[in-house]
Amino acid sequence: MHLPRQVLYKMQALTQDVDVRISVGQCIRTLTSSKEKEEVTKALQKLASYLNDQPQSRITSAQQEEFSRAHYTRTLQFLISNINADWLQHITAAQRTELWDGLFLRGPPDQALLVLMDGIGTVRGPSAALDHLVSILERFLQSSRLAILIWSRSKGTGPSDSPQLRETLLGRLVALPDLTANKLHHNNKTLFLPQQYYPLLAREILTVLEKTCQALRDGKDCSLAFVAQVLGKACVHGNSGLVFDVLAPSLSSNTRSDMVWQRVCWKLLENTPERWLESVITGLVQAVSRPETLSRIMGNLVLKNKKAHFVLTHKLLLLQYKYETRVLRVVLGYLAEDRERRPCLIQVLRALCQAWANPSAVRHTPLEQQLYVSRALLLCVALLSDAELLELRSELLQCMLGGMQSHLDSSVVRVRRLGMVVGECLSSRMDIDGAKLKFEYEQDDETKELLSLLTPPSEETEPLADCLDLPQEVKGQPVPSQAASVPQTASADPNSDLDSDDDLPPYDMSTDQEMSGAAPPCYLRDCLEVFLSSDDPVRVELSLQAVEGLVKRNASTAREVSVELSKVLLHMEDKYNTEGFLSLRQAAMVALTVTDPVAVTGYLTTEFYSMNYSLRHRLDMLEVLAMAAQELSQPIMDKGVQSKGIHPVTSAVSLYPGKDPVHWRQVVERRIQSKTKRLSKGVTRPPAKPTPNRYAPVAGNFFFPLLRNYDRPQVTFDLLGSDHLVLGRLIHTLGLMMHLAVNAPVATQMGRALLDFVWAVRYHADQMVRRGVLFAVCSTFLSMPSESLLVELRDQLFETRAWLADVAEGDPDADCRNLAVQSLVLLEKSLKTGLNPTALGLQS
C-alpha cells in the first residue's frame, strides 16, 4: 500500500521533531545528573551540533530548524539557571568558551538576546555568574549579532511572532543601555553606555541596509518594517543625535549616485511608525548639512505622510525655535528642491508672513521666537522664483507693512530693529518700482546674520562618521533572594475529660498562647511577598505582626520598600479575621512613615486626593500621617523603649473627634499653662536633655500637600460637599500638625496657609467641621511666634477676633463656644506679647 507523498513528508517531519525532542531531553538530563567530565562535554557538544551549519554535520537542516524553533530558548534558560552548577566547573575554560558560550553566540540572535537580558536582570550579583553573562553579552554585540538579528527579520526568514514579542524585542534592543545601567550601576561596561551602544546600533542598521540593497539588485524581496521600528524607537528615546551622526554621512554618500540606496532610504522612512516619525525627522534634519542631502534621503515623504507634512511645514518652523539657522535652511531648501514640493513652500511662506505680522505675537511671544520666525521668513523669501514673487507680491507687501508697524510700535529696541531689518530685506527682494526701504540702526551680529540670509549659502562639507571606542571591563550588582516556610499547626483538644488524676491540681494555663508551626519572617521583603501572594492566614498574621519591628530594626531596607509596602498595607483587607488587624496594619504604616517620612508622606498625601478610594481609606491615611507626625515630634527614646507619645494622637484624631471635645480643651489648657509664668519655691527640676526634633525638618511634607486639591471634587470624593466627615478629620489633622510644628522654621508659613484654608469653611453647617476650624485656629495661635502673628496676619487678626467673638456668643454647639473663648484668650495673650516693647527688644 503506497501512502501519498504529503503524508510521507508529514510523517518524516514528525519523526524528526520527536528525535530532536528526545535528544535534547537526554542532554539536559545528563547535564542535570552527571558529574563526569566526558558526559558533560558530549552533552554540550550534542546541543552545539544543532547550531552547526557545516556541510559535514550529521544534523539535518530540518532538525536544526526544529531545535531553533522549539528548544533553543529553553536550552539557554536551563544553562543560565544552572550557571553555578558543579558540572560547569569540570570543563576547561576553553571548552566553556567554545561550547557553553557558543550556544549563545551561534543560535537565533533574537532568542539569545532576550534570554541574556532576562538572565542579567535576574541573576544575583555581584558574582562570577553575572560577570560571565555580561561578558557574553559584550561578545554578542562585538560579533555583529545585532545585524544578523535585524537582517533575519528583514529578509523574511525570521520566525513569525506576535506583536507583544516584537515589542519586547524592540524594547530590549533600544533600552539595553538603560537595562544594563540599572543592573550594573557604576560598574557598567563602556560598550553598554549610550555614547558607544547607539553608534554601534547605527552601524548594524547600515549593514542591514547594505544587504537589503544587494538583495534587491539580485531580485529578492526584503522588508524594512523591523529596521524602521528599531530606528524609530531609538530616536524617540532621545538618541537620534547619536544614531544619525553615524547614519547621515553614510546615507548621504551612498545615495549620491545609487538609486537603489535612495529607494531603500525612502522606504525606510515610509515604514517608520507614525508615533516615532517626528523624532526620526528632527534627528535627520539636524544631522544633514544640505537640502540636497535631505531630498535624496527623504524623497517626497512630506507629500505622502501627514505627520511628516505637519512636522516639516509647521512644527519645526512655527512651534519650536530651538534649532540653528542651518536646520531652517535645510528644511526650507528641501521643500524648494522639487517641483512637487514647491506648493508646500508657498504654504509655509503664508504661515510665516501671518506669524511675523501678527501684533499679538509681537507683544506676547519671546524675542528668540520672533527672531527664529524672521530667519525662516527671509530664507523662504530668498528661495522664491521671480514668477512666485510676482504672484505673492500683494501678500508680501501686506505682511511687510503690517509687520513693520507692529514691530516699530514696540518699546523694545531689538524688536524695532528686527522689524527694520526684515522690512529692508523684503523690500529689496520684491523690488517694487525700484524703491527700497532704508533704515538707520546699529549693526551687530544679529542684523548681519539676517541680512546674509538672502544670499545663497556656500558649499559645505558633510560630517564624517565617528569611530567606536574599545570597551572596558566592569563588574555587577546583587539581587536579593527570598525564602518561604510551610506553616504547620497543631492543636490539642481542650475538652478532654480528666481520668484518675482528678485529685491533682491543674496547671494555670490562662496566659498560655497557641503554638504555631510557622516561623515569623525575618526580612521585610519576605513580609511583602507574603502580603502579595500568600493565602495562608497564619503566615499573613505572623508577617503583619512582624512588620513594625522589622521596619524599626532595618531602617535602610525599610526605605527601599517603604512606598511599595505602604501601598500594599493601605489596600490590605482583613480576609482572615486577624486579631488586632487594624491596629497592626496602622502601626506598620506609622513605622514606615517615621522611617522614610519624605517618600511615604509624598505617597499618602498624593493618594488622599486620588480617585476610587473609599472614605475609610482616606481616614486611614490621615490617621497614619497624624500618628507619624506625633511620633517624630517626640524625643528619641532609648533602644527597647517604645515612645509613649503615640497614644494621645490616637484619641486626638479618633474617627469622630467631635464626640471627644474634652481632649482638645486639655491640649489647649496644657499649652496655656506652659506659657504662663509662675514663681515657685523649692527644688527645681534639672534641665531636660536636648534632643533633635525629627518632625520639624519634614513638617512641610506632611502639611502642605494636604492643602493641594481640596476644592476639586472627584467622582467618588467631594470634600467641600457631602463628605464633611473627611473634611472635619482633615482640618483636625492639619491643626494637630500645626500644633506639633511649634518652634519649627516652617511654622509661620504653615499657620498662614492653615488660616487661609479654614477661613472658607468657618461657617460650615456640620459642628465637627466647625470644631476642627476652631482647633486649627487655636493651634495656629499657640504655635506661631507672636511677632509673626503681627507681621504675617495683621490684616486678618481683627476680622478673626470679631468672628471668634460671634462664635463664642451665638454658636449652637457648646464645645465650639468654649473653643472660641479659648482662642480669644490665646489671641489676646499673643497680641500683648507681640506689642510689648520689652518682648520685642525695643528700648524706650
Side-chain angles (χ1 to χ4, degrees):
M1 179 178 181
H2 296 285
L3 296 175
R5 184 175 299 177
Q6 268 185 334
V7 176
L8 288 174
Y9 286 158
K10 289 183 179 180
M11 292 178 64
Q12 291 176 359
L14 182 60
T15 303
Q16 290 178 345
D17 296 349
V18 173
D19 292 341
V20 173
R21 183 166 62 251
I22 293 174
S23 177
V24 172
Q26 290 176 349
C27 293
I28 291 178
R29 283 193 297 272
T30 300
L31 294 176
T32 304
S33 59
S34 178
K35 296 182 180 180
E36 298 294 334
K37 176 180 178 181
E38 294 182 358
E39 294 182 356
V40 170
T41 304
K42 288 182 179 179
L44 291 175
Q45 289 174 346
K46 182 64 176 177
L47 293 174
S49 65
Y50 286 103
L51 303 176
N52 188 6
D53 53 358
Q54 299 297 328
Q56 64 272 19
S57 176
R58 300 181 187 178
I59 306 299
T60 64
S61 59
Q63 290 175 329
Q64 292 179 356
E65 292 177 2
E66 174 63 18
F67 176 78
S68 300
R69 183 190 67 83
H71 303 283
Y72 182 65
T73 296
R74 287 186 293 177
T75 301
L76 297 186
Q77 291 172 346
F78 167 79
L79 294 178
I80 291 180
S81 62
N82 291 270
I83 194 170
N84 293 318
D86 293 337
W87 57 264
L88 189 58
Q89 312 303 323
H90 296 160
I91 61 177
T92 63
Q95 289 175 331
R96 183 185 305 178
T97 302
E98 175 65 23
L99 299 178
W100 203 92
D101 299 359
L103 286 170
F104 290 88
L105 301 176
R106 291 201 299 269
D110 50 353
Q111 300 181 48
L113 179 65
L114 291 176
V115 175
L116 273 175
M117 295 302 297
D118 290 342
I120 290 175
T122 56
V123 71
R124 286 179 293 181
S127 62
L130 180 60
D131 293 343
H132 193 184
L133 293 179
V134 169
S135 66
I136 294 177
L137 179 60
E138 189 177 25
R139 290 169 56 194
F140 183 92
L141 298 179
Q142 292 172 340
S143 56
S144 300
R145 299 298 292 174
L146 290 184
I148 299 174
L149 188 159
I150 301 173
W151 173 240
S152 66
R153 293 175 176 269
S154 299
K155 64 181 181 179
T157 59
S160 57
D161 49 22
S162 62
Q164 293 81 5
L165 178 60
R166 174 168 289 210
E167 192 66 27
T168 302
L169 182 59
L170 284 172
R172 296 294 190 275
L173 269 174
V174 175
L176 187 144
D178 298 330
L179 297 174
T180 54
N182 290 337
K183 181 65 177 179
L184 303 176
H185 301 289
H186 296 293
N187 297 321
N188 201 5
K189 284 187 174 291
T190 305
L191 185 59
F192 301 157
L193 299 179
Q195 295 81 1
Q196 304 293 337
Y197 176 75
Y198 291 109
L200 171 66
L201 181 62
R203 280 191 283 273
E204 302 292 60
I205 291 176
L206 281 175
T207 302
V208 174
L209 295 180
E210 177 65 40
K211 291 184 177 180
T212 303
C213 293
Q214 187 59 43
L216 292 177
R217 295 187 186 99
D218 297 338
K220 300 177 183 178
D221 292 334
C222 294
S223 172
L224 291 173
F226 188 74
V227 188
Q229 291 174 358
V230 173
L231 176 62
K233 198 171 184 67
C235 291
V236 83
H237 277 216
N239 304 292
S240 58
L242 296 172
V243 172
F244 278 107
D245 283 346
V246 176
L247 282 181
S250 298
L251 296 181
S252 176
S253 61
N254 290 328
T255 54
R256 274 200 179 96
S257 58
D258 195 332
M259 283 300 301
V260 177
W261 264 100
Q262 290 186 21
R263 286 180 52 204
V264 167
C265 292
W266 299 348
K267 201 67 176 177
L268 177 67
L269 295 177
E270 290 174 8
N271 286 337
T272 302
E274 190 167 310
R275 63 186 184 277
W276 300 333
L277 186 59
E278 179 182 344
S279 300
V280 175
I281 292 176
T282 53
L284 179 59
V285 297
Q286 292 180 82
V288 299
S289 58
R290 296 189 60 80
E292 299 83 5
T293 305
L294 185 63
S295 181
R296 293 197 307 268
I297 297 175
M298 190 176 292
N300 284 335
L301 183 67
V302 68
L303 303 177
K304 300 178 181 179
N305 189 287
K306 292 183 179 179
K307 186 63 173 288
H309 184 273
F310 171 76
V311 171
L312 290 170
T313 63
H314 189 76
K315 191 165 188 178
L316 291 178
L317 304 175
L318 296 173
L319 300 183
Q320 296 177 347
Y321 53 94
K322 61 181 180 180
Y323 301 107
E324 300 175 355
T325 306
R326 178 182 57 83
V327 176
L328 290 174
R329 197 184 297 273
V330 168
V331 172
L332 295 172
Y334 162 76
L335 297 178
E337 185 75 18
D338 188 81
R339 183 178 59 184
E340 297 180 0
R341 299 194 292 266
R342 297 290 294 191
C344 295
L345 182 68
I346 306 302
Q347 173 191 347
V348 167
L349 176 63
R350 291 192 171 102
L352 290 171
C353 288
Q354 184 178 1
W356 188 78
N358 190 342
S360 178
V362 174
R363 289 193 300 268
H364 299 105
T365 57
L367 181 58
E368 292 77 10
Q369 186 172 4
Q370 297 183 42
L371 183 61
Y372 186 84
V373 172
S374 301
R375 292 192 187 110
L377 176 61
L378 294 180
L379 287 172
C380 195
V381 170
L383 292 170
L384 295 179
S385 62
D386 294 338
E388 291 168 337
L389 275 173
L390 185 62
E391 180 182 353
L392 298 170
R393 175 168 292 187
S394 60
E395 296 181 33
L396 288 175
L397 181 60
Q398 183 179 359
C399 165
M400 182 184 70
L401 297 177
M404 287 175 55
Q405 182 66 38
S406 301
H407 283 79
L408 293 176
D409 288 342
S410 175
S411 59
V412 181
V413 176
R414 289 183 63 189
V415 174
R416 292 200 301 270
R417 189 166 55 202
L418 183 62
M420 297 177 193
V421 175
V422 175
E424 283 186 2
C425 294
L426 290 179
S427 66
S428 65
R429 187 72 177 91
M430 289 186 293
D431 193 19
I432 305 174
D433 299 330
K436 297 181 181 180
L437 292 176
K438 188 61 180 177
F439 296 95
E440 293 183 0
Y441 50 82
E442 295 182 2
Q443 293 279 350
D444 57 5
D445 294 338
E446 185 177 295
T447 57
K448 291 178 181 178
E449 181 195 7
L450 290 173
L451 293 171
S452 66
L453 295 179
L454 292 180
T455 60
S458 58
E459 293 294 327
E460 301 176 12
T461 58
E462 299 190 8
L464 300 176
D466 296 329
C467 297
L468 187 64
D469 294 336
L470 294 177
Q472 299 177 356
E473 296 295 326
V474 289
K475 298 180 181 178
Q477 291 292 337
V479 175
S481 61
Q482 298 177 346
S485 59
V486 180
Q488 297 179 356
T489 57
S491 60
D493 185 7
N495 299 321
S496 60
D497 296 331
L498 297 176
D499 50 15
S500 58
D501 296 331
D502 289 343
D503 55 335
L504 298 176
Y507 286 104
D508 183 10
M509 304 179 63
S510 60
T511 60
D512 287 4
Q513 297 180 355
E514 183 179 357
M515 300 297 294
S516 173
C522 299
Y523 299 96
L524 273 177
R525 294 187 185 274
D526 293 342
C527 296
L528 181 60
E529 184 66 20
V530 169
F531 295 153
L532 291 174
S533 59
S534 178
D535 294 327
D536 188 348
V538 177
R539 293 186 65 197
V540 172
E541 182 177 0
L542 290 174
S543 300
L544 197 58
Q545 293 172 351
V547 167
E548 182 183 9
L550 292 175
V551 169
K552 293 180 178 180
R553 290 195 299 270
N554 304 284
S556 59
T557 304
R559 293 188 187 97
E560 295 177 4
V561 298
S562 58
V563 176
E564 183 179 3
L565 188 53
S566 299
K567 180 178 181 180
V568 172
L569 290 170
L570 178 63
H571 293 83
M572 182 181 290
E573 297 178 357
D574 188 12
K575 297 187 295 186
Y576 309 112
N577 196 21
T578 304
E579 183 178 0
F581 172 81
L582 294 177
S583 60
L584 290 173
R585 186 189 66 159
Q586 185 183 79
M589 294 181 68
V590 171
L592 286 168
T593 309
V594 170
T595 304
D596 193 9
V598 175
V600 179
T601 54
Y603 167 75
L604 292 177
T605 53
T606 301
E607 294 302 304
F608 179 78
Y609 289 107
S610 299
M611 296 177 60
N612 299 326
Y613 277 95
S614 65
L615 299 184
R616 179 68 260 175
H617 280 130
R618 303 184 200 276
L619 294 174
D620 289 341
M621 297 178 202
L622 292 175
E623 191 165 358
V624 168
L625 290 171
M627 295 178 70
Q630 172 75 1
E631 183 170 344
L632 286 171
S633 66
Q634 298 298 318
I636 300 176
M637 308 296 292
D638 295 334
K639 293 184 177 179
V641 181
Q642 294 183 353
S643 176
K644 298 181 181 179
I646 287 184
H647 304 291
V649 183
T650 307
S651 59
V653 197
S654 59
L655 182 59
Y656 301 100
K659 296 183 179 180
D660 189 19
V662 180
H663 173 73
W664 304 111
R665 289 199 299 270
Q666 292 176 351
V667 171
V668 176
E669 286 294 340
R670 284 199 299 268
R671 292 295 296 152
I672 294 176
Q673 295 296 332
S674 65
K675 286 180 172 288
T676 304
K677 294 183 179 180
R678 290 184 174 85
L679 297 177
S680 60
K681 297 180 180 180
V683 180
T684 60
R685 296 181 181 179
K689 182 180 179 180
T691 56
N693 189 339
R694 295 174 294 167
Y695 175 70
V698 296
N701 298 85
F702 281 77
F703 185 87
F704 292 108
L706 290 176
L707 297 175
R708 185 165 44 201
N709 297 318
Y710 67 91
D711 57 346
R712 297 182 183 178
Q714 304 290 342
V715 176
T716 58
F717 183 46
D718 187 5
L719 191 63
L720 298 181
S722 58
D723 297 325
H724 50 80
L725 173 65
V726 184
L727 176 62
R729 182 69 168 279
L730 173 63
I731 296 174
H732 276 93
T733 304
L734 292 172
L736 181 63
M737 292 177 180
M738 184 71 224
H739 169 71
L740 298 174
V742 60
N743 298 326
V746 77
T748 300
Q749 291 85 344
M750 290 174 62
R752 185 171 62 249
L754 182 58
L755 288 183
D756 291 340
F757 169 59
V758 301
W759 192 253
V761 293
R762 64 189 186 279
Y763 293 117
H764 201 279
D766 187 77
Q767 62 182 5
M768 192 189 73
V769 176
R770 298 200 303 274
R771 288 177 186 172
V773 171
L774 291 166
F775 172 69
V777 172
C778 286
S779 300
T780 303
F781 292 159
L782 285 169
S783 302
M784 284 185 66
S786 301
E787 298 82 5
S788 298
L789 281 174
L790 291 174
V791 173
E792 300 290 340
L793 303 175
R794 61 178 182 273
D795 297 332
Q796 295 94 340
L797 286 180
F798 294 100
E799 189 175 1
T800 302
R801 189 179 184 282
W803 164 68
L804 289 174
D806 292 339
V807 174
E809 293 180 1
D811 195 282
D813 184 67
D815 294 316
C816 289
R817 293 195 297 270
N818 293 333
L819 285 172
V821 171
Q822 293 174 354
S823 299
L824 282 171
V825 172
L826 290 174
L827 180 59
E828 295 294 337
K829 287 182 176 292
S830 298
L831 290 177
K832 289 180 180 179
T833 304
L835 295 174
N836 188 352
T838 304
L840 292 175
L842 301 177
Q843 300 296 331
S844 57

